[in-house]
Amino acid sequence: MKLYYSPLACSLADHIALLEAGVPFERESVNLKTKRTASGADFNDVTRKGYVPALVLDSGEILTENIAVLDWLATEYPTLGIPGNLGRTRVLEALVFISTEVHRSFKPMWHASSETQKAQARATISKLLDILSERLAGNYLFGATPSVADFYLFVMLLWAERFDVGIPPPFVALRRRMASRPAVQAAMRQEGLISLIDSEANAHTREECDHVTG
């Protein structure tokens, strides 16, 4: 398999999922402005949509759209999903909410927008994350182990930190928990996001010190 990604884009979730699954795959970064890959190829030859993720399967089939790629990975590698009759449906429910509501609401942050629009976006995102946090069933969204929905959520929580969006305390803990996972750290190092890992580690250390001295 081969994953086409862009650093800190939503494709980071797929990058993490592949590493968590422990399967061999190739990866190549994409400049979303120029549509050129790290090797100099035209990304439009991979997908005319021109955005990540794009996952080339061993069969040569190409999957696009983050929800579809993550759903395929969770189906192919069950440890990335959750069990039960409604397991896949619940994961899809979370993925759709994260994509169509939370992810979409970040648009003013990534594009030229007024401060008023950005403030409104922050308020909207905070409210949406509050709603999602009510479904937290343990250390992760569905219990003791993370699913592909947690990987996507983690990316949104990194964006929230970048754009100074308030998030509920349970998700602060989830973000730090995710950042400590070896697969997450490996993906972030590959994408050149090591400073974000260090930031999370320092925040966790300060929290532990505050707890001891408080």
Side-chain angles (χ1 to χ4, degrees), residues 15-117:
H15 199 165
I16 292 169
L18 285 162
L19 289 170
E20 287 276 359
V23 297
F25 69 99
E26 298 176 6
R27 53 200 156 192
E28 187 166 355
S29 63
V30 179
N31 185 317
L32 295 179
K33 292 183 179 180
T34 65
K35 308 302 180 185
R36 290 286 167 181
T37 72
S39 65
D42 186 348
F43 185 55
N44 289 311
D45 291 338
V46 178
T47 170
R48 291 184 63 187
K49 293 178 179 178
Y51 53 77
V52 295
L55 182 65
V56 182
L57 306 183
D58 291 339
S59 65
E61 294 272 3
I62 299 174
L63 291 179
T64 61
E65 304 301 334
N66 208 27
I67 294 174
V69 175
L70 291 172
D71 176 58
W72 183 85
L73 288 170
T75 301
E76 192 75 5
Y77 308 104
T79 57
L80 303 180
I82 60 172
N85 293 334
L86 281 176
R88 183 184 180 192
T89 301
R90 289 302 186 193
V91 171
L92 280 171
E93 181 181 35
L95 289 174
V96 171
F97 183 80
I98 294 168
S99 179
T100 63
E101 300 299 328
V102 182
H103 186 158
R104 179 175 61 87
S105 296
F106 273 98
K107 186 175 181 179
M109 306 302 190
W110 293 108
H111 301 280
S113 305
S114 68
E115 287 305 313
T116 298
Q117 290 172 317

Side-chain angles (χ1 to χ4, degrees), residues 96-161:
V96 171
F97 183 80
I98 294 168
S99 179
T100 63
E101 300 299 328
V102 182
H103 186 158
R104 179 175 61 87
S105 296
F106 273 98
K107 186 175 181 179
M109 306 302 190
W110 293 108
H111 301 280
S113 305
S114 68
E115 287 305 313
T116 298
Q117 290 172 317
K118 290 180 179 180
Q120 291 173 341
R122 288 187 183 94
T124 297
I125 296 164
S126 291
K127 181 179 179 180
L128 292 169
L129 291 174
D130 279 336
I131 292 171
L132 188 59
S133 71
E134 294 173 359
R135 300 295 300 272
L136 199 65
N139 285 340
Y140 301 99
L141 284 174
F142 298 104
T145 57
S147 72
V148 290
D150 293 282
F151 306 152
Y152 196 176
L153 172 61
F154 175 65
V155 179
M156 298 299 100
L157 296 178
L158 290 178
W159 290 6
E161 183 178 35

